[in-house]
Amino acid sequence: MDLAPLVEDRSPRGIAAAVARLVRAGQLQPGDRLPTVRELGAALGVSPATVSGAFQALAAVGLVASRGRAGTFVVPPPAGWLPPRYRELADGAPATRVDLSTGTPDPDLLPALGRALVRVAGRAPSGAPETYTSAPVVPELEGLLRASWPFAPERLTVVDGAMDAIGRTLEVAASFGDRVAVEDPGFPPLYDLVDQLGLERVPVPLDRHGMTVDGLDAALRAGATAVVLQPRAHNPTGVSLTATRARDLAGVVRRHTAGSAGPAGGAQVRSTRRIVVIEDDHSGQIASSRDVSLGAWLATVVHVRSYSKSHGPDLRIAAVGGPATELDALVARRMLGPGWTSRLLQHTLADLLTDADAVERVAHARRVYFARQQALGDALGTHGVTVSPGDGINLWLPVHDEATALVRLAAAGLRVAPGTPFAATADARPHHVRVTVSPLRDDVEQVAHALALAAAP
């Protein structure tokens, strides 16, 4: 590319700005080689030192890198390590006023970790396990989990977050090329995970009660051997399963696992298939809906409960409970990797689950999130936008055109998550954006006004 005609300001700052604009616009791609300082200096009529100063400024912010005599090259963006749909969610400039795109909890509503860490460290200053083959879950935490689990699991363990749990369960429950029923819309990183494992996504539509019965039946008839669903506070829609819907979905799975009779050497035999249901209860204790699980009616359910939104994303703890077939294989594989989730963090979570102040803090957060959902839904209604406020921290806002809505909101100083990454099929146009309500304070009316303008034709 001939850079010289594209540089208006020939100062070091101006040259650097011009190159940066070309990188952001995609006209310069990672791996592209820039002209030498002498070549660009001659073309611009400036000294090589001026161009060198521009390149040094670009290198300082991570846009280019010098490879000595080989030249200066554009480097991949810092988010290049993100999977594709994570990258779509992360793209874009930060909001100038408020960021409603993150899907993360309000830090002010999380329980204080400091006091819990001090208490735990005082009880176990060394932090050393009994042996490397000690049980992966500390007894105190396992007792608390079993007492609160929505069904009686054969096994319980803890891993490093909900996606870690889902990924490890799929690794033991599905093989390369298998089909997996997923919600549509659903959580974008789950789609990335399924793709990376070499599995095929089978989209299942939702209604106001969650995954539809007919949709799941169609996915299982198409050969899905695993199902991943969010039982409550669905991300992005906020819908939650009712007990009736969970029972009906479990009935569909049972019908497909009953098998069918067929001839084998003149005799009638019954073939069966194992269908594992993975439940991602990512919002856990900040969800206001009932803790409903297909595991109350089905023996092949792996229930995942994350504590990231209720107690802090940096705890990186999710509990996993379900049948021994999947959980024993999951734990055995982890023994050849991380081994266990930090027992210090496990004791910290157990402390937070029993400390009166921490328990009240989480209950308060649950009430606040519910109130923020309702307040934003009511405010949108006054502007003629009808939404059904769901559970948890996200609201699924219908818009006339996604791209237009994002541009209008950016102009108003607001940022939301685009709806496209939440679609299970690449050609789908959801005509929605996801709004995270957790940062809202007393600016609900102003935000609702901006959202309503953005949603309009």
Side-chain angles (χ1 to χ4, degrees), residues 42-204:
L44 293 173
V46 299
S47 70
T50 299
V51 178
S52 178
F55 284 9
Q56 289 174 14
L58 291 166
V61 296
L63 288 179
V64 303
S66 172
R67 299 179 188 168
R69 292 182 179 275
T72 300
F73 294 82
V74 178
V75 300
W81 49 269
L82 288 170
R85 288 174 184 81
Y86 257 129
R87 198 175 306 135
E88 287 183 69
L89 294 176
D91 280 346
T96 58
R97 186 156 62 89
V98 62
D99 191 346
L100 305 176
S101 71
T102 63
T104 54
D106 183 347
D108 293 340
L109 296 177
L110 296 173
L113 295 181
R115 290 191 294 273
L117 288 168
V118 169
R119 288 191 295 266
V120 169
R123 292 193 295 267
S126 69
E130 296 175 7
T131 70
Y132 279 90
T133 56
S134 297
V137 187
V138 299
E140 178 188 7
L141 181 58
E142 180 166 2
L144 292 169
L145 294 174
R146 286 192 176 277
S148 64
W149 216 248
F151 59 91
E154 292 180 341
R155 298 284 193 275
L156 267 171
T157 192
V158 292
V159 296
D160 303 332
M163 290 303 295
D164 184 37
I166 296 168
R168 291 183 182 278
T169 304
L170 284 173
E171 285 175 344
V172 301
S175 301
F176 187 90
D178 282 355
R179 293 178 172 175
V180 178
V182 297
E183 296 162 320
D184 186 18
F187 190 45
L190 171 65
Y191 303 153
D192 285 335
L193 174 63
V194 170
D195 294 347
Q196 192 169 90
L197 293 175
L199 306 173
E200 181 181 342
R201 285 179 271 125
V202 183
V204 180

Side-chain angles (χ1 to χ4, degrees), residues 85-356:
R85 288 174 184 81
Y86 257 129
R87 198 175 306 135
E88 287 183 69
L89 294 176
D91 280 346
T96 58
R97 186 156 62 89
V98 62
D99 191 346
L100 305 176
S101 71
T102 63
T104 54
D106 183 347
D108 293 340
L109 296 177
L110 296 173
L113 295 181
R115 290 191 294 273
L117 288 168
V118 169
R119 288 191 295 266
V120 169
R123 292 193 295 267
S126 69
E130 296 175 7
T131 70
Y132 279 90
T133 56
S134 297
V137 187
V138 299
E140 178 188 7
L141 181 58
E142 180 166 2
L144 292 169
L145 294 174
R146 286 192 176 277
S148 64
W149 216 248
F151 59 91
E154 292 180 341
R155 298 284 193 275
L156 267 171
T157 192
V158 292
V159 296
D160 303 332
M163 290 303 295
D164 184 37
I166 296 168
R168 291 183 182 278
T169 304
L170 284 173
E171 285 175 344
V172 301
S175 301
F176 187 90
D178 282 355
R179 293 178 172 175
V180 178
V182 297
E183 296 162 320
D184 186 18
F187 190 45
L190 171 65
Y191 303 153
D192 285 335
L193 174 63
V194 170
D195 294 347
Q196 192 169 90
L197 293 175
L199 306 173
E200 181 181 342
R201 285 179 271 125
V202 183
V204 180
L206 307 178
D207 61 19
R208 62 191 182 94
H209 299 306
M211 182 176 276
T212 64
V213 174
D214 289 344
L216 178 60
D217 181 63
L220 296 182
R221 282 191 281 106
T225 59
V227 182
V228 184
L229 59 83
Q230 304 171 56
R232 54 180 175 173
H234 177 268
N235 185 356
T237 67
V239 302
S240 298
L241 291 178
T242 62
T244 300
R245 176 60 56 84
R247 181 197 63 199
D248 292 345
L249 292 173
V252 171
V253 175
R254 277 201 308 272
R255 288 199 299 274
H256 282 271
T257 54
S260 56
Q268 292 290 313
V269 297
R270 182 167 291 276
S271 62
T272 61
R273 62 193 269 217
R274 185 175 180 85
I275 299 173
V276 175
V277 177
I278 305 170
E279 296 177 336
D280 177 15
D281 188 20
H282 51 81
S283 287
Q285 294 192 335
I286 64 161
S288 298
S289 304
R290 290 177 55 192
D291 191 4
V292 172
S293 171
L294 276 67
W297 298 275
L298 200 63
T300 56
V301 172
V302 175
H303 189 77
V304 178
R305 180 185 296 163
S306 171
Y307 292 90
S308 292
K309 291 183 175 63
S310 57
H311 292 78
D314 222 27
L315 274 177
R316 305 311 308 141
I317 286 186
V320 192
T325 302
E326 280 70 36
L327 268 291
D328 285 350
L330 186 157
V331 173
R333 177 62 186 90
R334 286 192 92 224
M335 291 301 296
L336 301 177
W340 63 87
T341 295
S342 165
R343 290 181 173 87
L344 281 174
L345 291 180
Q346 291 188 49
H347 282 297
T348 300
L349 177 59
D351 182 280
L352 293 169
L353 292 174
T354 54
D355 176 73

Side-chain angles (χ1 to χ4, degrees), residues 399-416:
V399 297
H400 179 74
D401 180 78
E402 177 187 313
T404 300
L406 294 174
V407 170
R408 289 175 178 173
L409 288 170
L414 299 178
R415 184 182 179 192
V416 299

